Amino acid sequence: MTSSLPEHRVDVVEVGARAQPHWIRCEIGENLQFDTEVLEAYCLANRDARVYDAFVVAAAIEFCDRTKARPSTGWGRDFTLCVPVHDPEHWSSPAVSQTLYDALTSLTNDRWQISFVGRNASFHPPNQSNFNFLDDACAVMPFSDGLDSYVVAKLMERKLGHRPIRVRLGSKLQKRHKTQGTFAAVPYRVRCDKPRLVETSVRSRGFKFALISAIAAYLSQAQQIIVPESGQGVVGPALVPVGQVYEDYRCHPRFTDHMETFVSALFDYKVCYIHPRLWCTKGETLAEFLDRCPGDVGWKDTRSCWQQQRQVSVSGSFRQCGICAACLLRRMSIHAVSRSEDTETYVWENLSAVRFEEGAAPAFENKQPKGALYEYAIAGTRHLDDLANLLGSGADQTGLDQQSFWLSRSLRIPEEETRSRLGRLLGRHKEEWENFIESLGPKSFVTQWV
């Protein structure tokens, strides 16, 4: 049967090589650009070619994801991808290829056909490295500038007795942290002029971060990967997707369970993704941190916002927007622990304003009730409000049953237990959200939207 999905064929090639006829050419070094300095930490430990190949595969998947827009009706796309690797027989084995397919499909809901061919030239890693780990390293943690990353890292450090190895994620962090230690940046970036990078959902980002964290665990011989997101960030995007998009499982045990199987097959090394804050709200996680680390105010310098600097700067100062789903969840959680932040933390300084545009900093220009920021604000408010009302909605019982099933299966605990814990999490979120909305007052534009 012929596929009805939009097909996108990409041939990854080495320098100077030709792509297959009628395939999109993706050249290593040109479209998939590697930072030699950053790559040292990943590739010099044991000169394992599978590590470098894994980066090429992840970068190629991101290239596919970003160069093919999702259809205006529906969601899925059909990708055919060919990647050169050092050991194509290993990558093509059912144990590796099938588990890779399972992980990608569960994450993106696209159809992937990935084939592997032998490289023409072997990759030669750099000759020098600063590869230093703690002797008793037992865990790594993907680390961003976010609130959950900061407070969970501190909490896990107290629990483990030493600091987990931090794996820096995100291109915006790369320049700042590039020289600050092992795994201080993502070692590659995707670049393309034709076709352009047109797709913004980039669900493959979850695969990229999960794989980089697994590579760091494999190289450091750590057995655990700590997923720092609290409950709303893990199950919320899967329970309450935006519009008609496919559920977001980037931090969900359903996806990390697939990744464990794939990583084990690829590297012959067992890692375990753990979710220590899965059953807690962000507010409860912050409350525990404040109780255990009362003198630590570093959480105030964290950044939760999705927006880039050009979109949310006020008089040259980079702020957080304050109105996207991530910012609203942050503000709600900080309210739940009776703390506050400086007014200048957010572009939308006053959520109690009667009108949307009145809540923004006076010097901010792009504050009219139209455009992307306005849509983000409405979508963020609806997401948190819909999540708060799930337990009381009979129509959403099927979604709750499905999540209880997936969580039970992935975490290997009784379904009755996952249902009970999920209910408590959603009940606590509802309480925090309603208290937050009440604090804004009945005339707030957010309250009016709710």
Side-chain angles (χ1 to χ4, degrees), residues 278-341:
L278 171 60
W279 305 116
C280 302
T281 66
K282 198 183 196 83
E284 290 175 317
T285 297
L286 181 57
E288 184 173 338
F289 165 78
L290 294 172
D291 178 62
R292 295 180 179 272
C293 309
D296 192 331
V297 296
W299 64 272
K300 291 188 176 183
D301 296 324
T302 61
R303 182 175 183 82
S304 302
C305 187
W306 300 334
Q307 307 300 327
Q308 297 179 355
Q309 185 168 353
R310 67 177 184 274
Q311 297 168 308
V312 288
S313 291
V314 179
S315 300
S317 176
F318 186 25
R319 300 190 184 186
Q320 302 182 65
C321 76
I323 51 173
C324 67
C327 282
L328 287 173
L329 177 58
R330 175 193 179 96
R331 298 177 87 162
M332 178 188 87
S333 303
I334 291 171
H335 175 269
V337 296
S338 302
R339 298 299 174 98
S340 61
E341 296 178 280

Side-chain angles (χ1 to χ4, degrees), residues 129-433:
S129 174
N130 297 316
F131 201 80
N132 299 313
F133 294 120
L134 297 172
D135 292 336
D136 58 348
C138 64
V140 303
M141 183 177 139
F143 193 86
S144 67
D145 275 349
L147 181 60
D148 275 338
S149 283
Y150 184 87
V151 300
V152 173
K154 295 288 185 177
L155 290 173
M156 293 304 295
E157 182 177 345
R158 294 175 67 91
K159 180 178 180 179
L160 297 173
H162 59 77
R163 177 177 171 177
I165 296 174
R166 297 183 180 184
V167 182
R168 286 280 176 178
L169 304 177
S171 58
K172 67 181 181 180
L173 299 171
Q174 184 157 330
K175 184 175 294 185
R176 187 190 315 175
H177 300 290
K178 181 175 176 180
T179 59
Q180 296 184 10
T182 303
F183 307 142
V186 176
Y188 68 84
R189 70 187 185 98
V190 172
R191 178 181 177 276
C192 191
D193 296 323
K194 293 182 180 181
R196 295 182 297 109
L197 303 179
V198 296
E199 178 55 45
T200 59
S201 63
V202 198
R203 287 290 176 85
S204 63
R205 198 178 281 127
F207 176 79
K208 167 184 177 178
F209 295 157
L211 181 59
I212 289 175
S213 301
I215 290 172
Y218 165 61
L219 294 177
S220 60
Q221 293 295 287
Q223 296 179 327
Q224 292 184 330
I225 300 169
I226 301 167
V227 181
E229 277 72 19
S230 297
Q232 295 122 311
V234 174
V235 301
L239 277 169
V240 189
V242 179
Q244 300 301 313
V245 305
Y246 174 67
E247 296 88 348
D248 191 342
Y249 288 101
R250 276 177 287 183
C251 300
H252 198 282
R254 179 188 180 189
F255 169 61
T256 57
D257 192 33
H258 283 302
M259 285 300 299
E260 286 182 12
T261 307
F262 167 62
V263 169
S264 177
L266 178 60
F267 295 118
D268 192 25
Y269 184 76
K270 180 67 176 176
V271 297
C272 179
Y273 294 82
I274 64 172
H275 302 258
R277 309 306 302 180
L278 171 60
W279 305 116
C280 302
T281 66
K282 198 183 196 83
E284 290 175 317
T285 297
L286 181 57
E288 184 173 338
F289 165 78
L290 294 172
D291 178 62
R292 295 180 179 272
C293 309
D296 192 331
V297 296
W299 64 272
K300 291 188 176 183
D301 296 324
T302 61
R303 182 175 183 82
S304 302
C305 187
W306 300 334
Q307 307 300 327
Q308 297 179 355
Q309 185 168 353
R310 67 177 184 274
Q311 297 168 308
V312 288
S313 291
V314 179
S315 300
S317 176
F318 186 25
R319 300 190 184 186
Q320 302 182 65
C321 76
I323 51 173
C324 67
C327 282
L328 287 173
L329 177 58
R330 175 193 179 96
R331 298 177 87 162
M332 178 188 87
S333 303
I334 291 171
H335 175 269
V337 296
S338 302
R339 298 299 174 98
S340 61
E341 296 178 280
D342 294 337
T343 304
E344 294 77 16
T345 301
Y346 304 103
V347 172
W348 261 260
E349 299 174 347
N350 181 17
L351 295 182
S352 295
V354 176
R355 296 192 300 185
F356 173 78
E357 60 270 27
E358 294 174 351
F364 186 66
E365 298 178 357
N366 188 22
K367 56 187 174 185
Q368 296 306 311
K370 61 181 180 180
L373 289 176
Y374 182 66
E375 296 296 333
Y376 275 127
I378 293 177
T381 302
R382 287 188 58 184
H383 173 78
L384 294 176
D385 192 59
D386 288 348
L387 190 61
N389 292 310
L390 271 179
L391 287 179
S393 173
D396 292 314
Q397 188 58 48
T398 299
L400 291 173
D401 290 342
Q402 183 183 55
Q403 284 304 308
S404 295
F405 169 78
W406 283 119
L407 289 167
S408 171
R409 182 176 179 179
S410 301
L411 299 172
R412 296 163 182 79
I413 59 178
E415 193 168 343
E416 295 77 9
E417 182 178 346
T418 62
R419 190 182 302 273
S420 175
R421 290 188 174 189
L422 183 59
R424 193 214 70 85
L425 170 66
L426 294 174
R428 180 60 182 170
H429 168 76
K430 179 180 179 67
E431 179 183 346
E432 293 179 7
W433 174 245

Side-chain angles (χ1 to χ4, degrees), residues 2-180:
T2 303
S3 170
S4 61
L5 300 179
E7 186 178 13
H8 199 56
R9 295 187 295 179
V10 174
D11 195 7
V12 179
V13 298
E14 297 169 72
V15 177
R18 291 185 178 182
Q20 302 175 61
H22 310 299
W23 287 51
I24 295 171
R25 185 174 184 274
C26 175
E27 182 177 313
I28 299 173
E30 176 63 27
N31 303 112
L32 313 182
Q33 299 182 343
F34 288 86
D35 188 314
T36 302
E37 182 180 349
V38 177
L39 200 60
E40 289 179 1
Y42 288 94
C43 291
L44 278 188
N46 53 13
R47 294 181 176 265
D48 190 334
R50 291 175 297 181
V51 172
Y52 176 75
D53 289 339
F55 284 133
V56 173
V57 170
I61 288 168
E62 183 178 343
F63 179 91
C64 290
D65 190 13
R66 296 181 66 187
T67 56
K68 180 62 178 179
R70 293 192 178 278
S72 56
T73 58
W75 173 263
R77 300 158 299 177
D78 194 344
F79 292 112
T80 302
L81 174 64
C82 183
V83 186
V85 293
H86 290 81
D87 187 353
E89 183 177 350
H90 176 62
W91 281 91
S92 301
S93 66
V96 176
S97 62
Q98 183 61 49
T99 54
L100 172 60
Y101 174 84
D102 292 341
L104 287 175
T105 302
S106 69
L107 177 67
T108 68
N109 202 33
D110 296 311
R111 184 179 302 165
W112 295 86
Q113 292 184 333
I114 306 179
S115 59
F116 303 97
V117 296
R119 286 181 59 93
N120 295 322
S122 298
F123 166 70
H124 296 289
N127 293 321
Q128 308 226 347
S129 174
N130 297 316
F131 201 80
N132 299 313
F133 294 120
L134 297 172
D135 292 336
D136 58 348
C138 64
V140 303
M141 183 177 139
F143 193 86
S144 67
D145 275 349
L147 181 60
D148 275 338
S149 283
Y150 184 87
V151 300
V152 173
K154 295 288 185 177
L155 290 173
M156 293 304 295
E157 182 177 345
R158 294 175 67 91
K159 180 178 180 179
L160 297 173
H162 59 77
R163 177 177 171 177
I165 296 174
R166 297 183 180 184
V167 182
R168 286 280 176 178
L169 304 177
S171 58
K172 67 181 181 180
L173 299 171
Q174 184 157 330
K175 184 175 294 185
R176 187 190 315 175
H177 300 290
K178 181 175 176 180
T179 59
Q180 296 184 10

